[in-house]
Amino acid sequence: MDESSSGVASRLRLSMRGEDMQTNSSRRRLIKCGLAATVALVTGFGTLVASTQSKAAGNPYNLIDPSVISVGTMGDAKPYVFTDANGNFTGFDAELFRDVARRLGFKDEQVVFTGQEFSALLPSVASGRFDVAVAAIGTTAERKKTVDFSDGYLAGYLSIISADPALTSNESTAGKRIGVIQGTLQEIYAEKNLKGDIVKFPDNNTAVAALNNGTIDGHFTDYESAKQYVERYKNLKITMNVPSFDAPAGFVVKKGNDAFREALNKALHEAMDDGTWKRLHEKWFPGTPMPDQYLPKK
């Protein structure tokens, strides 16, 4: 039986209202989902920020382990840094750095020294193996391409030790074999200025052993180390000294770790201003001149 046109219209209106209600309900669900997602996003971002801030607060110097300063160094660079009879690291650089670390709030047992070859120190800091390298490391423009340095804390001389008293100048090394420690300022200077053949060694002890057995004719090292070896081996003498005040030693940190570098600088200058640097220098380098800029302000 046919329906009247008014009945059809009535059912159509009811159907449309039903669809509108379903659409509005769907829209409300979408809005709720959107709001929930936004809240979750904001909450997640806030949590991430808080976590990052907490991490920064707990590790302000961006250390590998925030409770420890990992130090790369050498074990045979007396009097700068070396191991004593008990295997402990000591020397001017080691004592100075421990003092600086105390000023940053670290106890001595939280400063962990690890010895290795000099040539590996800067790459180890750059790669994140160590937080800092401490071994009377001269500051140069070339080195600063890969790592950062603290302010300078030591300057001195480069020296040749030899049983041959004739090795007194750059020119006198012609035809001779001269040892250097790989990666040092001595190597840079020797390759540029000495006339002899340059022989590279991993450390001073190996080079001096080669000097004593006649493999090389002289060893080019820093003045303070040279003094130690000529005291130990009476056949050896310091035959030449070259000033190296243009590349003062600094603590080496990872490129871009400004927070740690600036903290080291602040503590380092405090050690200079209160006379700690002077006391340690007199202990380890008796009689050696001290630059005015490293002494307490009058």
Side-chain angles (χ1 to χ4, degrees):
M1 186 171 60
D2 295 337
E3 293 185 278
S4 68
S5 58
S6 60
V8 172
S10 177
R11 281 197 299 273
L12 180 59
R13 284 195 295 272
L14 288 173
S15 175
M16 290 177 68
R17 280 200 296 271
E19 290 177 358
D20 288 342
M21 292 175 65
Q22 290 177 351
T23 300
N24 290 335
S25 176
S26 297
R27 285 175 180 170
R28 285 194 293 271
R29 284 197 298 271
L30 286 172
I31 290 171
K32 287 181 180 180
C33 289
L35 287 172
T38 301
V39 170
L41 180 61
V42 171
T43 302
F45 181 73
T47 302
L48 177 62
V49 170
S51 176
T52 301
Q53 290 174 340
S54 176
K55 182 178 179 182
N59 190 12
Y61 306 127
N62 303 308
L63 303 177
I64 300 166
D65 178 343
S67 64
V68 172
I69 300 180
S70 175
V71 185
T73 190
M74 297 179 68
D76 72 331
K78 192 175 182 178
Y80 303 101
V81 60
F82 62 99
T83 51
D84 61 19
N86 297 317
N88 298 315
F89 286 90
T90 188
F92 174 80
D93 288 67
E95 287 199 25
L96 178 63
F97 187 79
R98 286 193 182 99
D99 179 85
V100 166
R102 288 185 210 113
R103 297 171 193 266
L104 270 58
F106 291 85
K107 298 177 181 179
D108 287 356
E109 58 268 25
Q110 293 176 289
V111 181
V112 180
F113 285 83
T114 301
Q116 62 175 181
E117 293 181 5
F118 185 90
S119 60
L121 288 177
L122 270 63
S124 292
V125 172
S127 66
R129 181 181 177 189
F130 299 124
D131 296 309
V132 60
V134 178
I137 303 171
T139 306
T140 68
E142 186 64 27
R143 288 172 176 173
K144 289 175 75 172
K145 292 178 181 178
T146 56
V147 293
D148 286 338
F149 282 80
S150 72
D151 292 340
Y153 64 84
L154 195 63
Y157 289 85
L158 310 179
S159 306
I160 287 181
I161 55 176
S162 177
D164 183 355
L167 296 181
T168 58
S169 65
N170 294 342
E171 290 70 24
S172 69
T173 63
K176 304 294 185 178
R177 290 169 59 82
I178 307 298
V180 296
I181 299 176
Q182 187 174 7
T184 60
L185 292 176
Q186 295 92 288
E187 178 190 8
I188 297 170
Y189 181 94
E191 291 186 333
K192 183 178 179 180
N193 298 287
L194 301 188
K195 306 304 179 183
D197 295 327
I198 306 304
V199 184
K200 300 176 184 180
F201 294 91
D203 52 56
N204 276 320
N205 287 338
T206 307
V208 173
L211 179 59
N212 282 326
N213 67 30
T215 303
I216 57 176
D217 300 294
H219 178 45
F220 192 46
T221 186
D222 62 272
Y223 174 72
E224 299 298 336
S225 293
K227 283 199 306 184
Q228 303 292 327
Y229 284 107
V230 298
E231 288 175 3
R232 190 185 309 176
Y233 302 104
K234 301 305 180 183
N235 61 309
L236 301 178
K237 304 296 179 185
I238 296 176
T239 61
M240 184 182 86
N241 289 316
V242 178
S244 64
F245 291 98
D246 58 338
F251 302 137
V252 177
V253 300
K254 191 170 185 178
K255 196 80 174 168
N257 193 353
D258 295 338
F260 191 33
R261 179 181 56 79
E262 291 169 3
L264 292 176
N265 284 342
K266 182 177 183 295
L268 183 58
H269 286 288
E270 289 174 356
M272 293 173 180
D273 291 342
D274 68 14
T276 300
W277 183 95
K278 182 175 183 289
R279 175 179 58 79
L280 291 175
H281 194 278
E282 289 173 337
K283 173 183 177 180
W284 291 103
F285 311 121
T288 299
M290 292 179 282
D292 290 340
Q293 61 264 39
Y294 299 158
L295 299 178
K297 295 180 178 64
K298 296 179 181 179

